[in-house]
Amino acid sequence: MYVLSTLVNQKLNLLKLKVDRFLFIGVLFLSLIVLSLLMVSPEASYYQTTHLQFNSLMTSGETSDQHSLYSFIFCFGMVWVYLGSLLLSTRHLTKNKRKKIQTLMVSFCLGYLCLLSLLIFSNIISDSYFYLGFPRNTAIMLYLIGFSPLFLSFVYVRYFDILIITEASFKNFQKQIKSQNK
Amino acid sequence: MESFRNPIILGFIAAYMLLTILVGIWALRKTKSTQDFFMAGKDLGIIVTGFAVFSSLLSGFGFVGGPALVYKMGMSSVWMFVCVIMGFNLSFFLLAKRLRLFAEIGNPISLPDIVRLRYDNAFTQGLMALAIILGVLGYLATQILAMSIVLQEILNASSLIESISIGYCMFISCSILVFYSITGGIVASVYTDLVQGAIMIFGALLIFFSVINLFEGGFQEISQIIAQDDAGAIGPWGTLGAFGALSWLFIFMMGGAGQPHVITKMMMYKNISDAKYILPTSIVGYFFSALLWLSIGLAMRALVINGMHPELSNADMAASVYLQYYTNPILAGLVFAGLFAAIMSTADGFLNIGTAAIMHDIPDALGVKIKNDLFWARLVTLILTVISALFARYSGDLVAILGAFGWGTFAAAIVPVVVIGFNWKRATPMAANVCIISSLSINFSVKILNIKVPYAIDIGAISLIISMLLFISISILSKKPVINKNVEAAMDL
């Protein structure tokens, strides 16, 4: 039993990725995706075209729904890089606090990726269903994708003293700098 | 009241200009040192900082360029502001505290100053200053072009002048801007941001309701008109398609933390705990003001498609045409005044950081001391304005496209070096230097050579990804850097 738990712990330690490495792999992944996109399908370059009747307007092209999988992979990389950057802000915290805030950040980013996937994989632009003035997918983009990050803002405001800094430690820091300057 | 429409609009603008002059003179009296001119004495309150943060982001880019892009491309450009809360979160989680702590060490007056403090490298400071100057030219050009287009629309519609060219409007705009910036510095900018922010929130809400009332069925009818013409335009990706829209999402959610005119405001607030109130203030302000971006753009597209309004000769005129012809003259006057305020304060903010880069950071990096720096700072402000006006006049781009270029230039150069580097001790000066050089080379070569990127992916996004990759990989591969004790203490807190 002891050997088993030691093995599991060792495995888990191996899986524990440092935040900077996590970010690095995310950026590398996103770079490879963009590179492959640029090299694979250049025929999709000219997506939008000028409106037949009005020169100042653009209309969507014929290739609109052909790249859902690529779009998802691109989003995945994008959210990964965002999460990696966000996690850098937790490095100074104690283990327990760090674990809690990192769990919240990871959960939020997964939720955000799900919302983006919902848009990517559902290509119906229906005239018949409108939510607060917009077709369903557009409403998801405006209301859900637009406002879901308020969750993280709430965390920032609510747990500022615990996760970010207290006024007392800032004053101490100011004092320390002032005393050095004297 | 309709017969007095133009006098009312001009009256509001004249009243606003007078207010601007008064704020400039008041700020001139308040500005006693270089620290005051560039850093507002690190004494700003919650509301002033919160409004300054969101107003700097919107400006002529959001109020003139935003509706123009929605008019032209449908929902594509909405991704630029839909992700703004993500951008604010990243900025506040990673930078608000860190920048305020760094601002306590060695009294820095600019972002490159802090970059030098962090990396202990004069060359990095010089490169950061160069990136800021080049980004400022693109962004300042956006503001000048936006202001000139609005001014031209107002003056041409009035009976005072038969027809005025965009060149003359640029001259008038630059003259007002230079006076305002030279007198007030950053103090004038942040306090005008406060007035402008309040006007824009109020004005944008009223505009939003005016758009709802313009069509019987409100936004649903607008959506249906646009969808009948081109369903993709009112779909979530607009006409640009998924990749173009998603690349904007990436560059705007990551790049929000890399806009120097916004993040330098995070060094100016008084108490560190104010940051937790500044974040919601900025979000709320931005949300209401962005209603103008969405509602005017969609309304103008629907009006043109439906044959209710003739096609616009230039998409950038969408906001000013809507205000001129479809709103109450008092509301139009109020929003036009707010729009001028937005443009002026943001342009002032840009001139401020650009001037600091030329007058303070580059000489500092070269080890040169400039005497009478306040006088020279004001002269450089004038020169920067003229160069940006020429860029705006001859680039031939839309306001928002110029703005997106400025945004991308800043994001690619600043996000890795500042956002990541200020929170990661492993980051090295060499990585920072390579990252800034690569970001500038990619952005400017694509712009100058007019290279078309497949899938309409924004070049700023590609440039940001490459500069991040270079920054992290070079840092990991290089020797662990030695960090100044105070800087290390600030990074540990």
Side-chain angles (χ1 to χ4, degrees):
Chain A
M1 194 66 185
Y2 172 76
V3 175
L4 190 69
S5 69
T6 317
L7 268 175
V8 170
N9 277 338
Q10 276 178 351
K11 278 267 181 204
L12 282 174
N13 278 333
L14 276 177
L15 287 172
K16 263 184 200 165
L17 213 54
K18 282 186 174 177
V19 170
D20 48 1
R21 304 249 163 89
F22 178 76
L23 177 61
F24 174 65
I25 298 168
V27 175
L28 189 65
F29 176 76
L30 193 57
S31 310
L32 292 173
I33 293 300
V34 172
L35 192 71
S36 66
L37 279 175
L38 296 182
M39 291 167 74
V40 173
S41 294
E43 77 276 6
S45 307
Y46 303 101
Y47 179 87
Q48 55 179 357
T49 49
T50 308
H51 197 284
L52 288 173
Q53 202 181 341
F54 308 107
N55 283 333
S56 62
L57 301 182
M58 305 301 280
T59 51
S60 45
E62 289 173 9
T63 53
S64 57
D65 304 327
Q66 287 177 5
H67 305 287
S68 297
L69 187 64
Y70 280 123
S71 303
F72 173 74
I73 297 170
F74 183 68
C75 279
F76 183 76
M78 207 165 70
V79 173
W80 186 345
V81 171
Y82 182 83
L83 175 64
S85 310
L86 205 58
L87 289 176
L88 285 174
S89 68
T90 63
R91 287 162 67 92
H92 66 289
L93 296 170
T94 56
K95 202 178 171 185
N96 270 346
K97 286 180 188 170
R98 193 167 61 224
K99 214 174 171 184
K100 274 181 193 165
I101 182 75
Q102 286 186 345
T103 311
L104 285 175
M105 286 172 170
V106 172
S107 317
F108 163 73
C109 285
L110 284 175
Y112 196 76
L113 183 64
C114 288
L115 290 173
L116 286 170
S117 314
L118 200 64
L119 282 191
I120 290 166
F121 293 111
S122 109
N123 292 314
I124 311 149
I125 303 162
S126 165
D127 284 11
S128 46
Y129 295 105
F130 285 85
Y131 300 87
L132 296 168
F134 293 95
R136 192 194 63 184
N137 280 2
T138 312
I140 291 174
M141 173 247 219
L142 283 173
Y143 306 122
L144 292 181
I145 293 181
F147 289 109
S148 58
L150 281 176
F151 169 74
L152 276 184
S153 315
F154 171 76
V155 170
Y156 183 83
V157 175
R158 177 73 182 79
Y159 301 105
F160 185 86
D161 291 341
I162 303 166
L163 300 174
I164 311 296
I165 194 171
T166 59
E167 199 64 49
S169 33
F170 177 60
K171 298 276 184 236
N172 281 342
F173 181 76
Q174 273 182 320
K175 267 184 203 165
Q176 187 192 323
I177 298 293
K178 271 181 193 162
S179 66
Q180 275 181 19
N181 291 342
K182 279 176 190 173
Chain B
M1 195 188 281
E2 276 304 315
S3 51
F4 295 105
R5 170 173 277 273
N6 275 311
I8 291 172
I9 291 174
L10 287 172
F12 265 98
I13 292 169
Y16 164 68
M17 291 299 170
L18 188 70
L19 182 72
T20 302
I21 292 168
L22 293 175
V23 171
I25 293 168
W26 173 79
L28 180 66
R29 287 185 180 177
K30 215 171 146 66
T31 306
K32 294 190 174 79
S33 64
T34 317
Q35 267 278 336
D36 289 341
F37 190 84
F38 290 116
M39 295 290 288
K42 286 187 277 182
D43 199 27
L44 299 179
I46 295 165
I47 301 288
V48 179
T49 318
F51 274 48
V53 166
F54 93 78
S55 320
S56 318
L57 274 181
L58 273 171
S59 65
F61 174 38
F63 295 140
V64 176
L69 277 190
V70 174
Y71 165 77
K72 194 177 173 71
M73 299 178 180
M75 298 301 282
S76 310
S77 79
V78 174
W79 286 97
M80 289 181 180
F81 72 77
V82 140
C83 61
V84 80
I85 304 177
M86 295 283 274
F88 276 136
N89 286 338
L90 195 68
S91 308
F92 277 81
F93 268 103
L94 287 158
L95 285 180
K97 173 183 76 177
R98 206 67 71 207
L99 283 170
R100 189 63 191 84
L101 289 172
F102 284 158
E104 289 300 314
I105 312 168
N107 278 331
I109 63 164
S110 64
L111 192 63
D113 251 357
I114 294 195
V115 167
R116 181 172 185 168
L117 192 72
R118 159 67 183 88
Y119 293 97
D120 196 19
N121 190 301
F123 190 59
T124 316
Q125 180 190 21
L127 279 177
M128 180 54 72
L130 180 70
I132 286 178
I133 294 164
L134 294 173
V136 159
L137 291 180
Y139 234 137
L140 195 55
T142 312
Q143 309 304 322
I144 292 170
L145 186 60
M147 193 166 169
S148 312
I149 286 169
V150 175
L151 195 64
Q152 188 188 30
E153 179 62 32
I154 293 168
L155 291 177
N156 281 343
S158 75
S159 52
L160 294 173
I161 296 162
E162 203 170 292
S163 171
I164 188 163
S165 72
I166 192 83
Y168 277 115
C169 290
M170 268 188 190
F171 178 75
I172 298 169
S173 307
C174 290
S175 307
I176 300 167
L177 184 59
V178 165
F179 167 78
Y180 177 73
S181 303
I182 283 178
T183 49
I186 198 72
V187 180
S189 172
V190 290
Y191 282 94
T192 314
D193 273 342
L194 181 68
V195 179
Q196 169 243 323
I199 293 176
M200 290 323 294
I201 290 173
F202 183 62
L205 266 172
L206 292 178
I207 293 284
F208 179 71
F209 288 115
S210 89
V211 169
I212 291 176
N213 289 324
L214 190 65
F215 293 87
E216 244 175 57
F219 269 101
Q220 185 162 327
E221 193 179 336
I222 294 175
S223 298
Q224 277 167 333
I225 292 169
I226 296 173
Q228 274 161 15
D229 175 68
D230 174 23
I234 196 70
W237 312 118
T239 64
L240 194 65
F243 277 107
L246 287 172
S247 67
W248 272 343
L249 169 71
F250 180 67
I251 190 75
F252 279 79
M253 79 179 182
M254 293 295 296
Q259 303 305 305
H261 55 298
V262 179
I263 58 175
T264 42
K265 308 254 162 59
M266 291 176 181
M267 301 192 276
M268 298 175 191
Y269 61 93
K270 199 175 178 182
N271 304 311
I272 198 122
S273 54
D274 289 351
K276 68 176 163 183
Y277 302 112
I278 294 171
L279 173 64
T281 309
S282 304
I283 290 174
V284 170
Y286 195 96
F287 163 72
F288 284 116
S289 307
L291 290 175
L292 195 140
W293 178 325
L294 179 73
S295 47
I296 291 186
L298 288 178
M300 281 314 298
R301 190 171 174 108
L303 284 167
V304 169
I305 289 170
N306 222 15
M308 290 160 74
H309 191 91
E311 188 187 354
L312 304 179
S313 57
N314 179 354
D316 277 335
M317 289 161 68
S320 45
V321 165
Y322 184 84
L323 290 171
Q324 277 281 10
Y325 298 104
Y326 297 100
T327 54
N328 178 292
I330 294 177
L331 176 60
L334 189 75
V335 176
F336 271 128
L339 219 147
F340 275 105
I343 294 168
M344 296 266 285
S345 62
T346 307
D348 185 27
F350 281 120
L351 281 171
N352 195 275
I353 55 168
T355 305
I358 294 175
M359 283 305 305
H360 171 77
D361 299 309
I362 289 184
D364 203 27
L366 296 171
V368 179
K369 184 89 188 146
I370 291 178
K371 287 177 188 170
N372 199 5
D373 51 356
L374 203 53
F375 164 77
W376 286 108
R378 286 170 172 155
L379 186 68
V380 166
T381 302
L382 176 68
I383 296 167
L384 269 179
T385 311
V386 174
I387 296 172
S388 299
L390 291 172
F391 186 34
R393 184 82 177 91
Y394 297 107
S395 75
D397 281 326
L398 286 177
V399 168
I401 298 300
L402 270 178
F405 172 70
W407 183 287
T409 307
F410 280 144
I414 295 176
V415 167
V417 178
V418 174
V419 180
I420 297 173
F422 283 15
N423 290 281
W424 184 43
K425 290 183 194 170
R426 197 71 182 74
T428 64
M430 189 172 70
N433 297 341
V434 173
C435 158
I436 298 172
I437 292 169
S438 78
S439 68
L440 293 179
S441 318
I442 296 169
N443 270 314
F444 276 85
S445 53
V446 168
K447 177 83 183 157
I448 291 164
L449 301 172
N450 200 19
I451 298 168
K452 295 256 183 265
V453 182
Y455 293 103
I457 296 176
D458 188 86
I459 188 60
I462 296 175
S463 172
L464 174 60
I465 294 166
I466 294 172
S467 63
M468 279 179 91
L469 184 67
L470 287 172
F471 181 75
I472 302 172
S473 49
I474 293 173
S475 293
I476 289 173
L477 292 172
S478 355
K479 211 176 125 191
K480 206 174 176 183
V482 181
I483 304 174
N484 172 298
K485 264 189 176 178
N486 288 334
V487 172
E488 195 164 16
M491 289 178 83
D492 284 333
L493 209 57

